[in-house]
Each structure stands twice: as C-alpha cells, then as structure tokens.
Amino acid sequence: MTSQFKVISISYKTSSLELRERIALNEDECKALLLKVKDVFGISEAVVLSTCNRTEIYYLADTDCSIDMVKLLSAQKGVDSTLILSHIETFSEEKGLEYVFEVATGLHSQVIGDLQIPNQIKNAYQWSADMDMAGPFIHRLMHSVFFVNKRVVQETGFRDGAASTSYATVETMESFLHLLNEPKILVLGLGEIGQDVVKTLNDKGYTNFTVANRTHAKAEKLSNSLKFDVLAFEDVKTELKKFDIVISSIRTEEPFIDLETVKDLGHKSVKYFVDLSVPRSISPDIQTVPGMVLYDLDEIQVRANRALEGRKSSIPAVKNIIGGAVTDFGDWSNQMVVSPTIQKLKGALEQIRKEEMSKYVKSLSEEEAVKMDKITSSMMQKVIKLPVLQLKAACKRGEAETLIDVLNDLFDLEKVKS
C-alpha cells in the first residue's frame, strides 16, 4: 500500500486557550512523542509542531493513525482523549500539503503572517531530524516550505507591518500607554517571543524597560547590545510594585504571578499585565483586584488582526505561490512512487545488455569491446527514455499504477532487485 501524508491539528480555531495550554509540548516532549510514534506505529517520517496557537502532527503512513496518535498525545499529557478528539481537524494528501504550507506562511496564524511561525517550523523539523524521523518526504516538504516562505517575503507584501506576536504586543501596549505617566515596563522571559518583544521595544525607541530571565547571564548578554536594565529573576515578585506594565512569556506549568502576588501591591503600582505564555504564566484571577488589567494571548492576537486587515490583500498572491508549490511537490511525490519501477527497468535492461555483450566480447579486441560497450549503453539509454517519460506523465494523470503493472509483466520486474 502506498504511504499517505496526514495532518492532525488542534488549533485556536477549534479549541480554547485552556485546552491548548494543557496539551502544549516543549522540545523534550515533542521529541518524546516522536519516539512513541515510531515505536507504536512503526512510522519513520513525522513532525510534531507545538506553538501558542496549535499542536499538530504531520506524518507519512500506510494507514490512518490519527485517532490513535491523539490518544498517544493525551496519554503523554495526562488529558482525557475525548476532550481533545472533539477539537481536532485532520487533512490528507493534497489538502494536508496545502494546509502545512498555509500554516508555515502564517495564513492560519491569529496574527496573520506572524514571523514566529517559520522559525517554529524550522525547530520542529530539526527535532524530527534529531530523532531520525525526517526521511526523503519530510526533508523535501520542509525545504519546499522554506522556499515558499522566501518567495512570499520577496514577492508579496504579506509580511509587511506588525507581523509577529511581539509587534502586536507592543501595539496593544501603545493603545493604553498615554494613560500612564512615565510608565515602567518589565519583560519576563527571554525565549523566542520574549526576545522579540525586547527587540521590538528597542526598535521603537523605548528605554524605560527592565528584563528578568531565569538564566541571568542570557539577560545580561542581550542587555549589552540593547541597553536595558536587568532584574534578578528571584527578585521579580518583591520588585513587582515598581512596574506599571508587565509582559510575560515565561514557560511554567503553574501561574508565576497569581492573586496572592498582586493583591497587596496597591492599585497604582502594577496596572497592566500581558500574558504571552502557554500554559499561562499569569492567573486570570488577578483581574479581581481593582486596577489590575490583564490581556491574554488570544486577546493580543485578536486585537492585532484588526490592525492587519490591509495585509489580507496579499493573500491571493500567497495562495498562488502555495498552489504552485503543492503541485510541484505532488509531482515529485508521485514520481517517488514510480522510482523503484524505473530503477528495476533500468536494471532489467542492463542485465539483458550485459548478457548479450558476454556472448561476443571474447571474440573482440579490447578496442572493439570498449566501442561496443559505449554503443550498447547509448542504445539502452535511448530505449529507457520513453518508458521513463511515460511513467512520469502517467503520474501527473494519476494513472501510474496501470503502467507499472504493464512494465512489471513485460519485463518480469518483480524478480529484479532495486
């Protein structure tokens, strides 16, 4: 049976932030799930992508393992599989390929064209390769995705403007900044999103912000180039009252800032919180304290999308690029199906050539034997050319299996080693 490409998706379009944070996977968890997929299903090509907006599995298999894979994910995260299954989307073959390209370019991001997603795809691909789960299909697919992203940047305006969570965060902050008198900003966490927030603040000319990170040396190193203040992470809760705006992207299983942390701060010390973490690092309960305003990830990205409406005009051009890439990839994938037959046919004809050559080579001089070898090799190349072209054309028409059967019967290819 021919392997088929499948996609499993749990995204912000189908599920709540609460569910997404319960099944979010870090690097080690993604790699662990890949190993389980290999061991349980015997699958050798798969990618696991887990971001703020989605947790997805892309895989190549002879049978549809999607439901069982969701159960595997649920077992790993300790979540009842019935809670996940009602929120999944699945895609197959061409629809699946199209979906992966659209995700990778940012068409399905809450902040349309989000610059984070290409890097997240690259990381997921690297983890797949690390686990020896990236074969010819995944390698080709991922590099096609990267090429499409390059074309989108070069040929369209789809990535212009506030194309990332960090820009959306700063733009949201700027919507209430005029309400504050010389506000002090605290950024918690220097993961990918946290670093982008810091760089965006710096690019926009902000100097009144402080950064705290669990790895203090990382914050110190970045501050040398961007010139911001650094706060020791263990001092965050005691120093929180000094800041007016807190932007958090730290990874934590339980909220780092909870009701107890803020209830004694006083109304004027910390007024605005922005939580970019999944799972959430700031408890929604803090909003019960007068004067405390919390924006979560979903709110940030919804607000950002309103400002990105103009970029939607580039969507048709992006989809046109993707359409061409999906067609090209489909042609390559189909040709992979006939590749073993082509190799066997070449082997069968080469065997015939050598057998016939052996009947006459003893009666030939060395010079004559060399000429005969060149002439017969050239003939065989011309003989094989038309069947190969016909096979590739049959792939595009979806008729390859019929021609493969004919060639197998004519040349008894089942007995020929690939």
Side-chain angles (χ1 to χ4, degrees):
M1 183 180 293
T2 303
S3 295
Q4 291 191 335
F5 180 64
K6 303 281 186 181
V7 171
I8 310 166
S9 173
I10 306 103
S11 73
Y12 74 94
K13 292 183 178 180
T14 62
S15 64
S16 65
L17 178 60
E18 286 81 1
L19 177 60
R20 298 201 308 278
E21 64 186 0
R22 289 183 69 183
I23 62 172
L25 303 165
N26 58 30
E27 178 180 349
D28 290 339
E29 290 171 327
C30 284
K31 289 180 175 179
L33 184 58
L34 285 168
L35 286 178
K36 290 174 184 175
V37 165
K38 179 189 287 188
D39 293 342
V40 174
F41 305 109
I43 289 172
S44 60
E45 296 206 52
V47 172
V48 176
L49 174 69
S50 190
T51 73
C52 302
N53 291 331
R54 65 191 68 253
T55 293
E56 298 180 336
I57 305 172
Y58 313 143
Y59 69 96
L60 193 68
D62 295 339
T63 57
D64 190 343
C65 307
S66 298
I67 300 301
D68 291 330
M69 279 195 189
V70 172
K71 291 179 180 178
L72 201 63
L73 169 65
S74 68
Q76 179 169 319
K77 295 300 294 185
V79 179
D80 187 341
S81 62
T82 58
L83 296 177
I84 305 175
L85 287 169
S86 59
H87 297 284
I88 70 168
E89 290 182 296
T90 58
F91 307 90
S92 300
E93 293 299 283
E94 187 172 324
K95 286 292 184 184
L97 291 171
E98 186 178 282
Y99 178 79
V100 171
F101 279 103
E102 289 181 352
V103 166
T105 51
L107 280 173
H108 291 299
S109 297
Q110 282 192 324
V111 178
I112 298 172
D114 193 340
L115 287 175
Q116 299 293 334
I117 192 67
N119 288 331
Q120 291 163 341
I121 292 280
K122 286 180 181 178
N123 288 336
Y125 171 42
Q126 182 61 58
W127 301 339
S128 174
D130 291 344
M131 296 295 100
D132 198 26
M133 289 289 281
F137 186 94
I138 292 298
H139 282 307
R140 180 84 177 206
L141 175 59
M142 292 294 103
H143 284 282
S144 296
V145 162
F146 303 149
F147 181 67
V148 163
N149 262 311
K150 185 176 180 180
R151 286 192 61 192
V152 167
V153 171
Q154 292 176 340
E155 299 175 24
T156 76
F158 189 62
R159 290 273 168 73
D160 294 346
S164 69
T165 300
S166 60
Y167 270 91
T169 298
V170 175
E171 286 186 353
T172 300
M173 181 191 77
E174 288 174 337
S175 70
F176 56 73
L177 208 57
H178 65 282
L179 302 175
L180 303 171
N181 182 30
E182 298 183 356
K184 292 185 177 180
I185 305 165
L186 174 64
V187 179
L188 297 179
L190 283 177
E192 188 174 354
I193 291 177
Q195 287 189 55
D196 280 351
V197 168
V198 167
K199 290 174 182 176
T200 302
L201 287 169
N202 181 76
D203 290 343
K204 289 203 167 199
Y206 291 100
T207 57
N208 58 329
F209 67 93
T210 301
V211 175
N213 189 57
R214 285 192 176 96
T215 305
H216 191 77
K218 186 175 182 179
E220 290 283 3
K221 182 178 179 180
L222 190 59
S223 72
N224 289 335
S225 58
L226 299 185
K227 308 301 180 185
F228 55 75
D229 293 330
V230 177
L231 175 66
F233 195 81
E234 57 270 22
D235 295 334
V236 167
K237 291 188 177 181
T238 57
E239 297 293 312
L240 207 55
K241 59 180 177 292
K242 296 181 179 178
F243 299 95
D244 304 287
I245 301 167
V246 178
I247 302 170
S248 176
S249 62
I250 61 175
R251 188 170 185 88
T252 176
E253 294 303 318
E254 298 293 334
F256 176 71
I257 298 175
D258 55 18
L259 185 60
E260 290 298 316
T261 306
V262 304
K263 69 180 184 181
D264 296 326
L265 290 177
H267 304 346
K268 297 179 182 179
S269 297
V270 181
K271 193 168 186 178
Y272 292 93
F273 293 85
V274 181
D275 190 356
L276 305 177
S277 306
V278 176
R280 284 179 285 196
S281 57
I282 302 175
S283 172
D285 293 344
I286 69 165
Q287 295 178 100
T288 61
V289 177
M292 302 297 170
V293 179
L294 173 64
Y295 294 89
D296 67 18
L297 187 62
D298 284 354
E299 290 178 280
I300 288 293
Q301 295 182 329
V302 166
R303 289 170 64 92
N305 268 350
R306 293 173 188 155
L308 297 176
E309 286 298 316
R311 300 178 65 201
K312 291 183 179 179
S313 61
S314 295
I315 289 177
V318 174
K319 287 192 172 182
N320 186 54
I321 292 172
I322 289 173
V326 170
T327 299
D328 290 344
F329 188 86
D331 290 345
W332 172 85
S333 181
N334 288 333
Q335 288 177 24
M336 288 288 287
V337 174
V338 301
S339 181
T341 300
I342 291 172
Q343 295 307 314
K344 285 183 178 182
L345 181 58
K346 287 181 177 179
L349 293 177
E350 178 65 13
Q351 185 176 340
I352 293 171
R353 187 183 75 87
K354 287 183 176 179
E355 287 175 356
E356 291 303 304
M357 278 273 295
S358 66
K359 294 178 183 179
Y360 305 102
V361 70
K362 291 181 180 179
S363 62
L364 300 175
S365 66
E366 184 177 345
E367 184 179 350
E368 290 172 332
V370 170
K371 285 183 178 180
M372 184 177 177
D373 184 64
K374 288 182 178 179
I375 291 168
T376 54
S377 290
S378 178
M379 289 175 63
M380 295 311 296
Q381 289 298 321
K382 291 184 177 180
V383 169
I384 196 73
K385 184 176 181 180
L386 185 58
V388 169
L389 290 175
Q390 291 294 335
L391 269 173
K392 291 181 177 180
C395 282
K396 294 183 178 181
R397 299 193 305 268
E399 300 170 357
E401 289 187 10
T402 301
L403 191 50
I404 287 172
D405 290 340
V406 171
L407 290 171
N408 280 334
D409 291 340
L410 283 174
F411 295 94
D412 201 11
L413 297 182
E414 295 298 331
K415 295 181 180 179
V416 180
K417 293 182 179 179
S418 300

